Amino acid sequence: MYRYDQYDQAMVDARVAEFRDQARRRLEGKLTEDQFKPLRLMNGLYLQLHAYMLRVAIPYGTLDSRQMEMLADIADKYDRGYGHFTTRQNIQYNWIKLEGTADALADLATVEMHAIQTSGNCIRNISADHFAGASADEVVDPRPYAELMRQWSSFHPEFTYLPRKFKIAVIASANDRAAMRLHDIGVRIVSRNGEVGAEIYAGGGMGRTPMIAPLIRDFVPIDQMITYAEACLRVYNRYGRRDNKYKARIKILVHELGAAEYTRQVEEEFAHLLSVGVEPPREELARIAEYFAPPAFVDGPKTVDRSDPDFALWVDRNTHRHKHDAYVSAVISLKPAGGIPGDATSDQMRLVAKLAREYSFDELRVMHTQNLLLPHVRIADLHALWTALDEAGLGSPNMDTIEDIIACPGLDYCSLANARSIPLAQRISERFAQSGRTEVVGELKLKISGCINACGHHHAGHIGILGVDKKGTENYQLSLGGSEAEDVSLAKITGPGFDEDGVIAAVEKVTDVYLAARSDGERFLDTYRRIGMEPFKEALYG
Amino acid sequence: MAKDMGTSPDEVQFRFRDDERVDHATITVDACCDQTNATAVRIEPGDDARVLLPFLDRLALVEVNFPAFGDGRGYSSARILREAGYTGELRAVGAVLIDQLSHMRRCGFDSFAPDKRLDEEDAARAFATWENVYQRAADARRTIADKRHEA
């Protein structure tokens, strides 16, 4: 994986010093709160309901054991002994004090980590396929391209005061595991006639106006990718709406101009920028790519002893096919039935770090589904790994099931939320786990947001739940048919909302409809797409 | 000179050029296009800087106004002018704050007339924040990647 050289380290150190100075000027009254706010946001520091929240960047979701151990130390030293892994492959701490923030950032910098641009109206942390470098189906490892974009987007002088936040995802497979087309820019690295390039999608997003990004360029030569991204951003910076915060994302610009007109403007700017010369030297990508060279895989057994049914179930559910046939990628579920999705204690983080050292070439991933992942595990080691995970409460065999719920922090933490998300996720996962229905239902992605900002990706859930405030009480709208994957679609609302008990019952009812109607091998989503909304509505409201 | 039509030289707090200061008022972009002898113009956030490209060789001062520090359109305007070869004074005016200085400098601004005078020490530190830079921009600094791969 990538390692900082003296330049990268100096940049992060400079940023820590800059933030320390900004905090000092704030305390001395030289900066108003209005002036300080965008600065602290660009260092990942939000003011939430009860305290500050610090969001730490995990670029493209990749980290090593030393970094994970530091995340555990930060949790103990500056927070309450736990952290929350997010859909942006980041980690958030919910009980941070302003006075300690610069020290926490300095601690992070000692292990090549930071909180730069994890918030604010700038280019955010770049996300990527969590199976990058491991999956059998990728064209190339997408992370060198994401790292190139990380460097380009860090402290970009022109794009620090954009109309609104800007999220980029990079994948390199036909299978989309990063919700690529629901990003401001989605990049798919492709190979055409042996030449590597990038497909560019622009103007996707969730929030109150969800949109699927249209394809705006089917092939940018790889040594022009940064220039193309710069053109996309410049057109957005100049013409994105600034009159209304809710219409300021690039998706609104692309929608209002039309994809063809936005593309025309980008192409014009691209041609101009090619003549200016903003692309990093070609050798830089090669330099970065060397850090992502595959580890030394060795041959070994390709099957496991399935005599323990619990282990066999976990293997079936939580492992993913690897490019080397003696290995798999193993998902560490942060979704114990009744637990808080994405939360991990410092002890769990330390255990996972140790397991990464023992079983996965010292490499870890954060998944956008709020789980962790060991990308390269020998099939021969799986039983030992599972035993250790199970003992620590990290062995839930529920990847992509209804228990694998994505949920935002909701009204328990967030100052924007209208309703709680976490208790709902806890009750639903507990109920399905206890009734044994999780396995019967199979793949079913349930996503919960506590407000219209959609941090819980409810638009992209096979089942989505949106918490709203209805005359002072929490109310939950149910939607069906969304997907963040290569078969991307936006979920549709079933009808009037429910109270907390009502929406849990409603989720059970829609799974009843599915189980009664499904034909062989159909997932919930497939059945919904075949039979449509009506049978579900009939069961819910009929 | 109307207060809202440009800053006077004594309002300029930081200037990174040695040539003589333009001492007359700026005019709007629209007026500049009609007036063949204008040498100083002021760009508002909604203006298209490219409209000025035919007149660049007669301009000695372009002010880019930042009515609000969070409106970043002026950064693009500045780079566009420098990319087109503009070598005259490029002045950031309005809500120019300490923490914007280093980015503005990279986008090609070489003079600064903040609404409120800035602390000199804080400003000096801000201009020097980044010993190295990742991206190519309007300031022709060699990037980190350039340094990594120099022969």
Side-chain angles (χ1 to χ4, degrees), chain A residues 448-502:
Chain A
I448 306 174
S449 302
C451 83
I452 198 154
N453 291 308
C455 297
H457 293 189
H458 66 278
H459 300 298
H462 297 178
I463 297 178
I465 296 175
L466 167 64
V468 295
D469 175 278
K470 197 176 170 188
K471 293 174 189 152
T473 57
E474 292 164 289
N475 190 266
Y476 294 94
Q477 288 178 353
L478 190 70
S479 54
L480 304 176
S483 170
E484 83 293 1
E486 57 282 0
D487 59 353
V488 60
S489 59
L490 300 172
K492 289 194 173 62
I493 295 177
T494 56
F498 306 89
D499 63 14
E500 187 178 325
D501 290 339

Side-chain angles (χ1 to χ4, degrees), chain A residues 80-96:
Chain A
R80 297 186 178 176
Y82 65 97
H84 178 73
F85 290 95
T86 78
T87 58
R88 296 285 311 153
Q89 300 176 297
N90 292 322
I91 184 170
Q92 294 178 178
Y93 298 101
N94 283 306
W95 304 97
I96 294 289

Side-chain angles (χ1 to χ4, degrees), chain A residues 2 5 7-8 11 14 21-22 24-25 30 34-35 38-39 151-152 154-158 160-161 230 234 237-238 242 269 272 277-279 281 283-284 287, chain B residues 47-50 69-73 75-76 79-80 83 97-100 103 106-107 119 122 125 129-130 132-137 144-149:
Chain A
Y2 190 69
D5 65 0
Y7 293 112
D8 296 309
M11 292 302 276
D21 190 55
Q22 288 163 346
R24 170 189 67 80
R25 280 183 279 127
K30 285 178 173 172
D34 272 0
Q35 292 169 346
L39 305 175
Q151 295 184 24
W152 160 75
S154 295
F155 323 110
H156 197 297
E158 186 178 339
T160 300
Y161 294 94
E230 185 127 338
R234 178 174 285 178
N237 189 44
R238 299 185 76 205
R242 292 177 186 262
E269 196 68 60
H272 162 70
V278 299
E279 194 73 23
E283 308 81 57
E284 180 58 11
R287 183 192 75 90
Chain B
D47 291 334
D48 178 3
R50 289 204 163 101
F69 71 85
D71 187 333
R73 285 177 284 185
Y75 295 86
S76 290
R79 266 188 86 187
I80 284 168
E83 285 164 3
L97 306 174
I98 292 288
D99 296 285
Q100 280 81 51
H103 289 326
R106 293 220 65 212
C107 288
D119 184 299
D122 290 341
R125 199 178 298 118
T129 301
W130 306 109
N132 287 292
V133 294
Y134 278 122
Q135 318 78 4
R136 293 193 181 148
I144 288 171
D146 291 334
K147 292 183 182 183
R148 281 173 178 150
H149 300 289

Side-chain angles (χ1 to χ4, degrees), chain B residues 28-87:
Chain B
T28 64
V29 168
D30 281 351
C32 180
C33 296
D34 300 334
Q35 218 170 307
T36 53
N37 59 349
T39 61
V41 63
R42 178 181 185 121
I43 298 180
E44 297 297 332
D47 291 334
D48 178 3
R50 289 204 163 101
V51 170
L52 295 176
L53 299 193
F55 316 111
L56 287 188
D57 49 1
R58 67 166 152 90
L59 291 175
L61 169 65
V62 178
E63 288 186 345
V64 178
N65 187 27
F66 290 85
F69 71 85
D71 187 333
R73 285 177 284 185
Y75 295 86
S76 290
S77 298
R79 266 188 86 187
I80 284 168
L81 293 175
R82 290 302 190 206
E83 285 164 3
Y86 174 67
T87 56

Side-chain angles (χ1 to χ4, degrees), chain A residues 518-537:
Chain A
R518 80 171 162 191
S519 50
D520 274 356
E522 266 187 343
R523 303 170 300 163
F524 176 90
L525 182 63
D526 303 321
T527 302
Y528 168 82
R529 284 175 174 169
R530 180 171 55 79
I531 68 177
M533 179 66 92
E534 274 316 307
F536 294 97
K537 265 190 163 167

